[in-house]
Amino acid sequence: MPATKPAPELSVLREPLREIGGEQVLAGLTSALSWLEANQQEINDLNVFPVPDGDTGSNMYLTLRSAVEEARDAPTPEAADSVLAAAAHGSLMGARGNSGVILSQILRGFAQGAAQRVHLDANGVALAITEASAVAYRAVMKPTEGTILTVVRDAAAAAAAAAGTTDDIRVVLDRVVTEAHAAVERTTEQLQVLRDANVVDAGGFGLAVILEGFARSVGDTQPTAPAPALLRRSGEPTLHLPPNPGDMEATGSAVARRGAAAIAPREQGWGYCTEFLINGPGLDVESIRTELSALGESALVVGDPDLVRVHIHTGDAAGVIAAASSRGRMSKLKVEDMSAQHHDVLMRADAEEAEAEAVGTAAQERPQAPPKPIGVASVAPGEGFRDIMSSLGADSIVSGGQTMNPSIEDLLNGVRAANAERVILLPNNGNVILTAEQVDPLAEGCEVRVVPTRNLPQGISALLAFDPAANLEENVERMQTAVAAVRAVEVTHAVRDSSVNGHDIKLGDVIAVVDDVITEVGDEYVGVIDAVLKAQTEKPELVTVYRGHEVSEEDAESLVEALRGSNPGVEFELQAGGQEHYPYVLSLE
Amino acid sequence: MSELIHLVTDSTADISPSDADALGVHVVPLIVRFGEQQFRDGVDIDADQFYTKLEHSDVHPTTSQPSPDAFATLYRTLLANPEDEVVGLHISAKLSGTLQSATLAAQEFDPARIHLVDTESVSGGLQLLVRAALDDIRAGDTAAVVAEKASRRRSKVTILVLLDTLTYLHRGGRIGRAQAFVGGLLNVKPLIAVRDGEVVPLARLRSRSKGIDMIVDQVRGCAPLRSLAEFHAAAAESMVDLEARLGAAFSNVTAVLGRIGPVVGAYSGPGGLGVACLGAD
């Protein structure tokens, strides 16, 4: 691999920057977001497996976007710690996918490292990055080298070293960016899967992009003109300059809006998504929360005696506003008609699903009922899986899955919609588990346990094992046992040429992923699925075939007929799963 | 001639007529109806006829308890000798009004000589209690003691039924807490238990053999066993698997094999597989 060229010095011909406050931090974050947006697709494309995958770039972008939005509303805009604390909270609520969760932890650590500091000097910046690295490592149970974690750690080391030699924050950040990109390049050698696919780590690259965007504008109090041209680094994708740095309004709403479909449609309409701030001093957060929560659903009331941020879904926006205005001066009021919004999203997602407004879910049948002792919230893509899970007793369904990871806030809303004192959360996707694990501390008054289901068949097995009469521990145990007894086969098409596990894979090939491992490759479904079934050491008794959104019932039926013919003694059941990207998902039991 | 203790039960014990004769047990039939047609369980209709009819009938069968008169007539015959007594072991009062009819008849006749027990049980479970009570009678216990022992034993009975579908239980209004299992879009085999006289859900299984695994596990939890009963509703093939599995696990326990009769079958539906076990005293 060619030697890494040094990154262009950002600090040339500029006055030394010895101190940054809240405005400069916000400018840096805003710029980081623009950079991330411009490079989102490249990050998405750094896909280890040739399967449609969790979109790391989109996940990180949406997470940072949520951070920046909240940072803009920071209670003390001129204070670095205030802006960073707001960013950290925003990123936590908006975190999607594993990379989004880790990014939110990096921001949390950064904010912790900057706590009690209105201004940061070079040492302060280095300290904050070091804390960011430490917090991110702690958040991951088994830290792996060659990921975003390695990049943040190496960047922190560079920051600490640089801060020992200069008090110019730009110089420190130059070194951080240079080292981050170098660390990204090294990831290919650190992880076998990356080496096989000959790519750098997507999350690590995303972080380097964020750091670069931050570094380029952190000294500014206003978003600046386009950054200077960049050198292309050897292993990374070409970096794209943001079209218009700092212009938040131009950032892609299309991707962001997908999150709006996260909770299944409600029969009586969605009411109004109402957001505002209440300005103190002397606010009683707890009593505001109690009062407002009674007026709607999914109430999010956070803050301190000086500023409270409210986000609530209500049918009575006027009532909420009246109640809030008696507590303090309101600002940033935003009221949106969620039925219209949600309908729009559904229309965009799938014109045929526009009728979905009328489809019921378990959750909507008892919106105001007293909480049950124990409930289940489950993540599902597609109408079919959603209906099946509701029918099996899931109290609420959060839309999402492989390529549309729900945010922590989406999951939190799903947990609230389950309306229970204790909620079991089923992520049903490997890339949603970490996000799901962040929900419990945020769900006040509700104990949340995650049964780490990695795919939809596991989620269905877990739901089948649920016993409303048993307690939380018993249920978690039952579900875990049930999950271990099912094998999931996900069938899709290769999204690019590659070589994985000794399989030569061409774009468009049919691939079967068995419990997260690419096991069979071929040119048509029946052959590939048949090979998977034949390879099982223990012959399955029952195979449930969930057909995807793009597969017609007739095609699925003839596939199942063919499989029946070649697998005598195995029972087959066909269901409409409605999932995207995966024509067939099978569960082997 | 010394006094006799007559053991009376009802047709939900699923005792075949020949067994009833051999054991000397008196079985009062419940009624099963298909629309206007009415049959006495095990008298006018047997299991084979019932499941064939169930398959072809447009109407869902309903059932009803025996009339008090049916009990009164039997008691009159059995208690002709003023020294004799009756022990009546019946289906759970939460599932049927049978015991209600028996109680009315007993009050009319001679309550002191008729010892009625709500077994909180049904089918194979009820039958195991009947058979244990017969042992007590043979051992020389008085009617009051036989009834009392039966009451104490009911907590040692476990009844498990692996159903093909909850449809029949649901339609028949006997679903209890298994209501939570209704409405799934997936094909699942519900495993239910009869506990304290009521239907409770145990698990939803995706295949019959997983259900049998779970039954064997549950029965193991009841050991040491006094006796075991295995019953099926038009599911003779699966019954073979069940027998083999339980036979291997409990080779030293005598098992009563039988069929789920018309009245219970109206709730289990065809394909049901039941196991009852009675723990040692």
Side-chain angles (χ1 to χ4, degrees):
Chain A
M1 184 166 290
T4 308
K5 292 176 196 161
E9 287 283 323
L10 306 172
S11 52
V12 248
L13 303 178
R14 290 223 193 178
E15 287 294 304
L17 177 66
R18 298 204 168 85
E19 211 179 54
I20 52 175
E23 280 118 357
Q24 285 102 333
V25 168
L26 182 61
L29 288 173
T30 307
S31 162
L33 182 66
S34 308
W35 277 71
L36 190 55
E37 190 195 9
N39 292 283
Q40 201 182 134
Q41 195 49 49
E42 276 62 35
I43 302 170
N44 284 344
D45 290 345
L46 289 173
N47 216 341
V48 172
F49 289 120
V51 299
D53 209 342
D55 303 326
T56 304
S58 306
N59 284 340
M60 292 182 83
Y61 170 72
L62 291 169
T63 304
L64 189 62
R65 186 165 171 270
S66 172
V68 173
E69 278 171 0
E70 196 150 332
R72 292 169 123 202
D73 292 340
T76 320
E78 64 281 4
D81 58 350
S82 173
V83 171
L84 284 168
H89 184 259
S91 73
L92 183 59
M93 297 317 289
R96 280 161 213 267
N98 295 342
S99 48
V101 171
I102 297 176
L103 176 58
S104 78
Q105 298 306 302
I106 289 173
L107 283 165
R108 187 161 75 95
F110 200 95
Q112 277 172 18
Q116 309 296 325
R117 287 167 196 255
V118 175
H119 290 97
L120 294 175
D121 58 11
N123 269 319
V125 169
L127 198 78
I129 300 181
T130 305
E131 187 62 18
S133 166
V135 169
Y137 266 87
R138 281 203 293 275
V140 180
M141 261 184 295
K142 281 188 295 178
T144 309
E145 293 306 321
T147 64
I148 185 170
L149 290 174
T150 319
V151 175
V152 71
R153 188 195 55 208
D154 292 356
T165 62
T166 177
D167 59 358
D168 187 345
I169 293 173
R170 282 204 191 87
V171 175
V172 171
L173 289 174
D174 273 1
R175 306 271 167 79
V176 165
V177 171
T178 307
E179 184 51 36
H181 282 293
V184 169
E185 297 228 348
R186 290 194 294 268
T187 60
T188 311
E189 292 308 311
Q190 287 166 328
L191 263 185
Q192 182 68 41
V193 283
L194 299 176
R195 201 177 318 153
D196 290 349
N198 193 30
V199 291
V200 295
D201 179 65
F205 177 57
L207 180 62
V209 169
I210 291 170
L211 289 169
E212 180 148 8
F214 185 83
R216 282 176 186 271
S217 292
V218 70
D220 308 326
T221 45
Q222 295 293 318
T224 51
L230 292 155
L231 293 177
R232 175 157 185 205
R233 294 165 183 85
S234 55
E236 290 180 354
T238 313
L239 270 178
H240 292 265
L241 288 176
N244 185 7
D247 184 1
M248 278 277 293
E249 303 313 321
T251 54
S253 58
V255 197
R257 288 170 84 163
R258 293 196 303 191
I263 306 288
R266 308 179 73 85
E267 214 156 54
Q268 64 272 59
W270 279 78
Y272 301 94
C273 171
T274 309
E275 285 179 63
F276 51 83
L277 301 174
I278 310 174
N279 299 273
L283 299 173
D284 180 348
V285 183
E286 201 52 51
S287 96
I288 294 176
R289 183 179 296 126
T290 313
E291 182 182 9
L292 296 185
S293 299
L295 299 173
E297 288 177 89
S298 306
L300 193 62
V301 179
V302 293
D304 53 38
D306 291 321
L307 187 81
V308 170
R309 180 187 171 92
V310 177
H311 177 141
I312 187 169
H313 297 170
T314 179
D316 178 18
V320 169
I321 293 165
S325 59
S326 71
R327 300 289 191 140
R329 188 176 59 80
M330 289 173 70
S331 59
K332 310 227 183 230
L333 174 65
K334 198 168 88 185
V335 179
E336 275 172 337
D337 182 347
M338 291 194 298
S339 344
Q341 226 178 42
H342 187 254
H343 189 74
D344 188 34
V345 170
L346 286 178
M347 291 289 285
R348 295 156 57 94
D350 181 0
E352 286 171 6
E353 280 184 12
E355 290 300 312
E357 291 288 322
V359 176
T361 69
Q364 74 203 17
E365 283 159 19
R366 36 180 184 278
Q368 301 301 333
K372 8 193 263 180
I374 180 161
V376 183
S378 185
V379 178
E383 196 85 0
F385 273 109
R386 202 151 70 196
D387 291 350
I388 290 168
M389 288 179 166
S390 289
S391 83
L392 293 177
D395 299 283
S396 75
I397 306 290
V398 180
S399 284
Q402 183 75 0
T403 55
M404 199 185 86
N405 299 150
S407 71
I408 293 179
E409 192 168 20
D410 293 337
L411 294 171
L412 183 59
N413 288 338
V415 161
R416 293 211 169 102
N419 192 28
E421 287 157 17
R422 282 165 288 269
V423 173
I424 295 174
L425 181 55
L426 303 175
N428 304 335
N429 186 286
N431 206 33
V432 180
I433 294 173
L434 195 57
T435 327
E437 281 166 353
Q438 313 306 312
V439 174
D440 179 46
L442 299 168
E444 285 163 47
C446 172
E447 185 179 357
V448 181
R449 289 287 294 273
V450 177
V451 174
T453 47
R454 305 192 62 83
N455 49 56
L456 292 156
Q458 287 187 350
I460 300 237
S461 290
L463 268 172
L464 279 167
F466 179 66
D467 176 1
N471 68 29
L472 186 65
E473 293 305 323
E474 288 164 357
N475 268 307
V476 167
E477 205 183 307
R478 286 173 72 120
M479 286 178 160
Q480 277 165 346
T481 309
V483 162
V486 65
R487 176 151 284 191
V489 183
E490 295 162 297
V491 182
T492 187
H493 291 274
V495 293
R496 60 179 168 80
D497 295 351
S498 63
S499 176
V500 180
N501 292 350
H503 297 289
D504 227 359
I505 300 169
K506 296 271 163 295
L507 173 73
D509 277 354
V510 174
I511 307 176
V513 183
V514 182
D515 289 343
D516 294 343
V517 179
I518 294 181
T519 321
E520 294 292 339
V521 179
D523 46 20
E524 42 87 41
Y525 300 127
V526 175
V528 166
I529 296 172
D530 229 15
V532 170
L533 294 178
K534 295 280 189 300
Q536 299 302 309
T537 42
E538 203 176 325
K539 194 166 88 164
E541 263 178 77
L542 172 70
V543 175
T544 313
V545 178
Y546 299 95
R547 71 179 163 91
H549 175 251
E550 67 256 53
V551 178
S552 73
E553 198 170 346
E554 297 74 46
D555 287 356
E557 268 165 10
S558 55
L559 173 111
V560 167
E561 258 334 294
L563 293 174
R564 275 197 187 109
S566 53
N567 294 276
V570 180
E571 199 181 316
F572 284 87
E573 186 177 328
L574 177 61
Q575 294 282 345
Q579 71 276 8
E580 305 269 352
H581 304 298
Y582 285 74
Y584 294 101
V585 170
L586 288 81
S587 126
L588 277 45
E589 291 167 83
Chain B
M1 185 182 152
S2 68
E3 80 276 12
L4 285 176
I5 302 172
H6 303 279
L7 194 56
V8 175
T9 186
D10 58 71
S11 62
T12 67
D14 290 335
I15 300 178
S16 68
S18 57
D19 276 7
D21 279 353
L23 294 167
V25 177
H26 305 275
V27 178
V28 178
L30 277 76
I31 310 297
V32 59
R33 283 197 191 83
F34 283 93
E36 297 298 302
Q37 289 179 290
Q38 176 167 319
F39 306 90
R40 283 173 298 167
D41 185 10
V43 178
D44 306 321
I45 190 168
D46 67 14
D48 277 334
Q49 293 162 330
F50 172 76
Y51 290 114
T52 308
K53 221 171 160 47
L54 187 62
E55 198 182 330
H56 297 107
S57 170
D58 298 332
V59 292
H60 188 76
T62 57
T63 62
S64 59
Q65 65 212 59
S67 66
D69 192 48
F71 282 101
T73 308
L74 180 64
Y75 294 156
R76 210 170 292 128
T77 320
L78 296 178
L79 298 177
N81 178 347
E83 306 266 287
D84 287 2
E85 289 183 83
V86 159
V87 174
L89 304 186
H90 294 289
I91 178 174
S92 165
K94 287 177 184 153
L95 298 175
S96 165
T98 299
L99 190 68
Q100 182 64 35
S101 291
T103 307
L104 283 174
Q107 278 163 358
E108 290 288 300
F109 193 79
D110 186 353
R113 294 165 66 203
I114 301 170
H115 307 268
L116 296 176
V117 178
D118 177 358
T119 63
E120 298 183 349
S121 196
V122 65
S123 190
L126 176 52
Q127 184 172 147
L128 293 182
L129 288 172
V130 166
R131 286 171 182 264
L134 286 167
D135 291 345
D136 295 338
I137 294 172
R138 264 183 241 117
D141 286 339
T142 64
V145 170
V146 170
E148 205 248 304
K149 282 187 174 172
S151 305
R152 264 191 282 135
R153 251 178 225 130
R154 60 189 175 191
S155 65
K156 295 183 180 296
V157 175
T158 301
I159 301 178
L160 305 160
V161 191
L162 183 65
L163 299 171
D164 234 14
T165 164
L166 281 175
T167 313
Y168 294 90
L169 205 55
H170 189 42
R171 279 197 206 146
R174 298 297 196 281
I175 194 141
R177 286 202 286 116
Q179 179 72 42
F181 283 2
V182 171
L185 294 171
L186 288 186
N187 243 323
V188 293
K189 310 223 176 298
L191 179 64
I192 57 160
V194 180
R195 214 168 263 168
D196 299 327
E198 279 181 294
V199 171
V200 294
L202 280 190
R204 294 181 281 194
L205 299 146
R206 291 289 273 140
S207 72
R208 191 170 269 161
S209 79
K210 284 213 170 59
I212 293 178
D213 288 350
M214 191 147 181
I215 287 176
V216 173
D217 278 355
Q218 293 273 326
V219 174
R220 266 207 190 94
C222 304
L225 297 185
R226 172 187 178 126
S227 52
L228 196 58
E230 299 162 35
F231 282 72
H232 73 93
E237 284 168 36
S238 315
M239 180 76 164
V240 174
D241 294 342
L242 181 68
E243 267 184 72
R245 295 290 308 278
L246 285 169
F250 304 97
S251 51
N252 56 339
V253 181
T254 342
V256 177
L257 306 181
R259 309 197 52 181
I260 296 178
V263 166
V264 180
Y267 299 97
S268 73
L273 212 48
V275 170
C277 58
L278 175 60
D281 278 348

